[in-house]
Amino acid sequence: METYSTLRQATGVARTLSRHSSCTMVVYRVTEEKFVTAHPSDHVNGTIEAVYRDGYLVQTLLSKTR
């Protein structure tokens, strides 16, 4: 689980990790200027911004719509 100051940084890392590690990564908004990338099994208090699998954005019922 890593913390970033912008959504763009967090989504870039999540996309890269999900592609190279063949795992699912979730991007959470913890505060207005704090975003976290984590595995789905990690405990994070925040709003799900995006979910990435195999380098691609996955739409889920819990993701924010853009």
Side-chain angles (χ1 to χ4, degrees):
M1 187 168 29
E2 295 292 326
T3 304
Y4 301 92
S5 57
T6 67
L7 179 59
R8 185 179 181 116
Q9 288 174 326
T11 56
V13 170
R15 178 177 290 146
T16 301
L17 287 175
S18 72
R19 184 177 334 131
H20 294 297
S21 301
S22 295
C23 64
T24 300
M25 295 299 294
V26 183
V27 177
Y28 296 93
R29 179 185 297 265
V30 179
T31 65
E32 194 62 35
E33 296 179 6
K34 184 177 177 184
F35 299 88
V36 174
T37 59
H39 290 91
S41 60
D42 293 339
H43 181 355
V44 177
N45 264 341
T47 304
I48 295 175
E49 291 287 326
V51 177
Y52 289 91
R53 185 178 304 130
D54 296 324
Y56 295 99
L57 179 65
V58 177
Q59 290 297 326
T60 70
L61 294 174
L62 300 175
S63 299
K64 287 182 110 178
T65 56
R66 301 198 184 232

